[in-house]
């Protein structure tokens, strides 16, 4: 019998191939289940939240008739692919241009900018940010497959440039609207604590865990803490 044919019939190779295929199929089933869950939940949430979204859009226009209702910003998604993430506009229209003047007042340690009394935030913006209503348009990103309902928050390109090798692990999964960081303290936590929570989620992710995080997120919206 030719050597190549003998190698192809060795039991350990066959068993290994079966094991790899089994693991791949399990991961594929998990990913498929998570995607189906995201489509269903995001579509249902958009329908339920549509009256609130309409009211918020009107209030934003009343405060600043010339400014846009939505704010689109480039974020880094799974495997480093960029996409445009949408939110209700909660800041003045020239907020990005004014950021450079505020970087020295950053209240977060690490590659993320947060400022509790950010002067760029509008009046309606303070309310929708505190209740996380400004993030409702991201349900459209979820429906399109650019984001998931649960996962690490999508980072800005300038933040990713400051990532360590460990931080880059966040980019191995689809970013989410909510996650362990949001339901575990949010802005009260440091950047490094956020990274640890994200990596913990990646190691233990499941649909059951996603459901628990979504439920806790709803409770956070009802009783907001650490959001600004």
């Amino acid at each position: 019998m030719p050597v190549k044919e003998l190698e192809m019939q060795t039991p350990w190779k066959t068993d290994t191939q079966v094991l790899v295929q089994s693991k791949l199929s399990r991961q594929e089933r998990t990913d498929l289940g998570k995607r189906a869950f995201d489509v269903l939940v995001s579509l249902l949430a958009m329908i339920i939240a549509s009256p609130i979204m309409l009211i918020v859009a009107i209030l934003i226009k009343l405060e600043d008739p010339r400014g846009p209702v939505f704010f689109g910003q480039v974020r880094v998604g799974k495997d480093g692919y960029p996409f445009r993430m949408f939110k209700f506009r909660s800041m003045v229209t020239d907020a990005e241009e004014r950021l450079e003047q505020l970087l020295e007042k950053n209240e977060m340690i690490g590659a993320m900018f947060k400022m509790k009394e950010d002067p760029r935030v509008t009046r309606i913006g303070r309310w929708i940010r505190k209740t996380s209503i400004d993030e409702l348009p991201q349900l459209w990103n979820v429906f399109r497959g650019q984001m998931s309902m649960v996962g690490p928050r999508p980072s800005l390109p300038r933040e990713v440039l400051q990532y360590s090798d460990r931080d880059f692990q966040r980019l191995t999964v689809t970013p989410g609207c909510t996650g362990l960081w949001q339901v575990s303290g949010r802005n009260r936590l440091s950047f490094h604590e956020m990274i640890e929570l994200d990596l913990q989620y990646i190691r233990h992710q499941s649909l059951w865990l996603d459901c628990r995080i979504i439920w806790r997120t709803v409770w956070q919206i009802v009783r907001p803490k650490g959001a600004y």
Side-chain angles (χ1 to χ4, degrees):
M1 180 180 292
V3 175
K4 288 186 178 180
E5 291 185 14
L6 182 62
E7 288 179 349
M8 291 298 294
Q9 294 183 17
T10 50
W12 70 268
K13 273 197 171 183
T14 303
D15 292 344
T16 302
Q17 290 170 352
V18 170
L19 181 60
V20 170
Q21 291 174 355
S22 175
K23 287 185 176 180
L24 285 175
S25 62
R26 281 201 299 269
Q27 184 60 48
E28 288 172 354
R29 288 197 298 270
T30 300
D31 292 343
L32 188 60
K34 185 175 177 65
R35 178 62 189 141
F37 177 81
D38 285 340
V39 171
L40 179 62
V41 174
S42 62
L43 182 59
L44 184 62
M46 282 190 289
I47 294 173
I48 295 174
S50 57
I52 297 175
M53 296 174 72
L54 177 60
I55 292 172
V56 170
I58 293 172
L59 291 175
I60 291 173
K61 269 298 180 182
L62 287 175
E63 183 171 2
D64 184 5
R66 294 185 178 182
V69 170
F70 299 103
F71 173 67
Q73 188 177 52
V74 175
R75 297 289 180 118
V76 181
K78 182 180 179 182
D79 298 326
Y81 286 98
F83 69 97
R84 186 167 292 277
M85 187 188 78
F86 295 100
K87 303 175 73 173
F88 278 121
R89 183 173 63 85
S90 61
M91 292 187 174
V92 293
T93 53
D94 62 341
E96 291 294 294
E97 290 76 8
R98 292 169 60 178
L99 177 61
E100 289 294 328
Q101 307 168 13
L102 301 171
L103 288 177
E104 61 181 20
K105 299 180 181 179
N106 189 11
E107 297 175 12
M108 292 284 285
I109 298 175
M112 181 184 291
F113 178 83
K114 288 290 181 181
M115 184 176 174
K116 192 169 184 179
E117 297 298 330
D118 195 325
R120 300 173 300 163
V121 180
T122 62
R123 285 179 298 175
I124 182 63
R126 294 193 184 283
W127 174 67
I128 61 176
R129 285 164 71 97
K130 187 175 182 60
T131 56
S132 298
I133 289 175
D134 63 317
E135 298 181 358
L136 284 177
Q138 290 167 35
L139 293 169
W140 178 242
N141 291 116
V142 176
F143 188 74
R144 295 182 62 187
Q146 298 166 322
M147 293 178 65
S148 176
M149 289 300 299
V150 182
R153 286 296 296 162
S155 298
L156 292 163
R158 62 176 172 77
E159 295 172 347
V160 174
L161 290 175
Q162 302 178 53
Y163 274 10
S164 66
D165 290 341
R166 183 176 176 80
D167 299 342
F168 269 108
Q169 295 180 50
R170 301 179 75 246
L171 305 182
T172 60
V173 298
T174 304
C177 292
T178 186
L180 280 178
W181 172 64
Q182 286 90 333
V183 299
S184 302
R186 201 169 179 176
N187 294 328
R188 292 177 297 170
L189 303 179
S190 68
F191 174 77
H192 298 294
E193 288 173 319
M194 181 195 73
I195 292 293
E196 288 303 318
L197 288 169
D198 286 340
L199 298 184
Q200 180 181 332
Y201 170 77
I202 292 171
R203 289 192 297 268
H204 303 289
Q205 61 178 312
S206 67
L207 288 179
W208 172 240
L209 179 58
D210 283 6
C211 290
R212 290 174 57 194
I213 291 174
I214 290 174
W215 171 249
R216 289 174 62 184
T217 301
V218 173
W219 186 246
Q220 288 278 0
I221 292 174
V222 174
R223 299 182 63 183
K225 290 182 179 180
Y228 51 83

